[in-house]
Amino acid sequence: MVGSAELIESVVLGIALAMDAMAVTLSNTLCEPDMPRAKKLAMPLAFAFFQAAMPVAGFFGGTLIAPIIEAYAGIVSLVILAIVGGKMALEALREMREPEACSPSKLTYGTIFLEAIATSIDAFVVGVSLAASGANIALYGASIGFTTLLCCLGVLVLGRRLGERFGARAQLAGGIVLVCIGLKAFAA
């Protein structure tokens, strides 16, 4: 039986873990406000899947490799997000200098996949701590994934509107946000 306190705790944890995914979703939609519907849905689905799967993986297998994951999680997140964000920012600056010569970058499914991994590495470590506390991993995994899905879907609307209004400046801001998230992960 699931207690209400445990359910509330799992939702709050899900919201906390979803923050990076929400920021990346916002950055992506700022950069490409006219993104096809399939890619728009791919972001929340990919982020939710990895946010749900990583704590489960950490719960069951994390005690063996948790020290390795913890040691390199920050640098892996930094590298992935700095490359993606840096590329977005450089293309935005180029477009701002020569608007007719450049078109904004288009988000690929491969990039979404890498972003989903980079933003969910911390959820793996959370899974290790959930195992140590004897938590209900089915509840936590489902709650974290569902919360991430809902949060990212909500952000899609905001990002599209801001991206249409601010164009290349929004893309520049989105790239900078991704680099900052990577730096935060590295510093943690």
Side-chain angles (χ1 to χ4, degrees):
M1 185 85 177
V2 174
S4 61
E6 190 176 32
L7 180 60
I8 291 169
E9 184 179 304
S10 69
V11 169
V12 170
L13 181 59
I15 291 170
L17 289 172
M19 290 296 129
D20 287 353
M22 289 170 57
V24 172
T25 300
L26 179 61
S27 295
N28 288 342
T29 55
L30 287 174
C31 295
E32 195 177 333
D34 59 340
M35 184 185 308
R37 186 170 289 162
K39 280 189 192 167
K40 283 181 187 174
L41 291 176
M43 285 186 298
L45 290 172
F47 292 137
F49 173 78
F50 280 98
Q51 289 287 11
M54 289 296 228
V56 174
F59 186 88
F60 289 110
T63 54
L64 300 173
I65 60 171
I68 296 168
I69 296 292
E70 269 187 279
Y72 297 105
I75 191 70
V76 170
S77 293
L78 173 63
V79 168
I80 292 170
L81 294 175
I83 289 170
V84 172
K87 182 176 180 263
M88 285 170 40
L90 289 173
E91 288 177 3
L93 289 171
R94 209 170 318 157
E95 182 180 342
M96 290 166 75
R97 280 187 304 218
E98 304 171 39
E100 64 284 337
C102 297
S103 63
S105 66
K106 299 297 179 193
L107 184 67
T108 66
Y109 290 105
T111 301
I112 293 170
F113 178 78
L114 289 174
E115 290 172 341
I117 291 171
T119 58
S120 65
I121 292 172
D122 55 345
F124 181 89
V125 177
V126 167
V128 174
S129 68
L130 291 173
S133 69
N136 179 345
I137 193 59
L139 169 68
Y140 277 86
S143 182
I144 291 167
F146 189 68
T147 302
T148 300
L149 178 69
L150 291 179
C151 290
C152 290
L153 285 171
V155 166
L156 282 175
V157 175
L158 176 64
R160 180 173 181 260
R161 291 190 179 142
L162 292 173
E164 287 172 348
R165 182 174 174 142
F166 296 106
R169 291 177 298 201
Q171 182 175 349
L172 176 61
I176 291 169
V177 166
L178 290 183
V179 172
C180 288
I181 292 170
L183 289 170
K184 180 189 111 201
F186 180 70

